[in-house]
Amino acid sequence: MILNGKAIHPDDQLASLALYGNATFTTMLVADGKVKGLGLHLQRLQQDAEALFGLPVDTAQVMDNVRDFLAGFTASEPVTVRVTLFPQGFDIAEPEACNELNILVTGRPAAGNLPALRCGLVASQRSLAGQKSGNMISLFKARRQARLAGADDALLTNGQQITEGATWNVFFVKGQQLITPALSGEILPGVTRQLVIDCCQAAGITVQQQAVTASQLASFDAAFATNAGWGLRPISAIDDIEYVSGGSDLMGQVRSLFDQLPAETLAEPLVD
């Protein structure tokens, strides 16, 4: 194998992952040895591995690999961890022949506090939105397009419908309620999205899951993005529509509820 004029000899399994991206993954924030929504992350891996590869996931083995990876970090250091599952011995001519999954754990120190996002609308669709797959080229193309136009990230659209961010879900604030695009074949059911919905409903905050169009954006008071790496992040603008700097009072309440959610420990093996 030649890379930039030099011979390289990568592991066959990693070479397959790099060449084909035939994988599913989940990303989680580990803080003080705990993860919010850990059970949902493992459930996603199980469901997506079954849908994409027809293979079961040994969650105990996944967690052993995560704990081994985290041994290289101090216990108090927040870490963004990605677990990637991909078929062993994958052959593009016989994708059904694989009967076992590789478990790859990677990560980096967590980003910490991030500034509000300025987003640009980009017409694009996620591939295999029902699963979190290794095919992310359409998302990164949209992010590149938005950043070249001066935004921080892309908010995706399908026609007039708002769907999701490049790697995050979106919520809008209108009065004392939240609105988020309803799940469809085009939107990833994010773990943090679900945690926000659950904690808001438990606290009596109305969350409307419905179609959202570009023409509605100016009617919202505020907006924020959710993903496992940063939790909740304010959106300060979408194209030329400006929102409350730093989010709204309701967003502050939602953030507080989210921060108070109990996290699941990684210290002991989980029981399925």
Side-chain angles (χ1 to χ4, degrees):
M1 187 176 291
I2 301 295
L3 177 64
N4 297 328
K6 296 181 180 179
I8 61 172
H9 305 282
D11 175 272
D12 288 344
Q13 302 290 350
L14 292 179
S16 172
L17 178 63
L19 288 171
Y20 307 119
N22 188 37
T24 186
F25 71 96
T26 195
T27 302
M28 62 189 83
L29 177 65
V30 181
D32 296 323
K34 298 179 180 181
V35 177
K36 291 183 187 296
L38 177 59
L40 293 176
H41 284 289
L42 294 175
Q43 183 181 65
R44 162 186 283 163
L45 287 175
Q46 291 173 311
Q47 292 174 344
D48 289 358
E50 174 62 33
L52 294 172
F53 314 123
L55 294 174
V57 176
D58 185 337
T59 56
Q61 190 176 7
V62 169
M63 294 311 302
D64 285 343
N65 278 262
V66 171
R67 284 188 284 267
D68 288 345
F69 175 79
L70 290 171
F73 295 84
T74 62
S76 60
E77 183 179 9
V79 182
T80 300
V81 173
R82 170 170 161 159
V83 178
T84 304
L85 306 180
F86 59 104
Q88 291 188 14
F90 176 68
D91 184 336
I92 59 174
E94 298 179 304
E96 80 289 352
C98 301
N99 56 24
E100 194 168 349
L101 293 170
N102 290 300
I103 303 170
L104 175 66
V105 181
T106 55
R108 62 190 184 279
N113 293 327
L114 295 170
L117 283 169
R118 296 187 66 86
C119 300
L121 294 178
V122 177
S124 184
Q125 297 182 53
R126 175 187 290 269
S127 173
L128 296 174
Q131 290 83 43
K132 197 163 187 177
S133 77
N135 185 351
M136 300 179 68
I137 191 167
S138 64
L139 305 178
F140 295 142
K141 179 183 178 183
R143 176 171 284 168
R144 178 178 182 272
Q145 182 177 333
R147 291 183 64 82
L148 287 173
D152 298 317
D153 208 345
L155 180 58
L156 309 185
T157 64
N158 180 12
Q160 283 295 305
Q161 299 287 322
I162 303 296
T163 57
E164 60 185 337
T167 55
W168 39 270
N169 293 112
V170 64
F171 285 80
F172 301 98
V173 178
K174 189 167 187 177
Q176 292 302 305
Q177 68 175 355
L178 297 181
I179 298 171
T180 190
L183 293 180
S184 68
E186 303 167 15
I187 299 174
L188 182 77
V191 168
T192 305
R193 175 188 184 274
Q194 188 60 52
L195 292 175
V196 167
I197 291 171
D198 290 346
C199 70
C200 285
Q201 291 179 338
I205 297 172
T206 299
V207 182
Q208 300 285 355
Q209 301 180 61
Q210 62 185 54
V212 178
T213 64
S215 62
Q216 293 176 275
L217 293 176
S219 70
F220 299 131
D221 304 320
F224 61 91
T226 61
N227 83 357
W230 64 53
L232 280 64
R233 186 174 179 183
I235 294 175
S236 60
I238 300 174
D239 281 352
D240 58 353
I241 299 169
E242 302 282 340
Y243 293 114
V244 177
S245 179
S248 67
D249 291 342
L250 180 59
M251 181 185 165
Q253 183 181 352
V254 174
R255 186 194 296 275
S256 178
L257 290 169
F258 180 80
D259 289 344
Q260 294 171 38
L261 280 176
E264 298 165 73
T265 183
L266 298 173
E268 300 177 357
L270 295 179
V271 177
D272 288 338

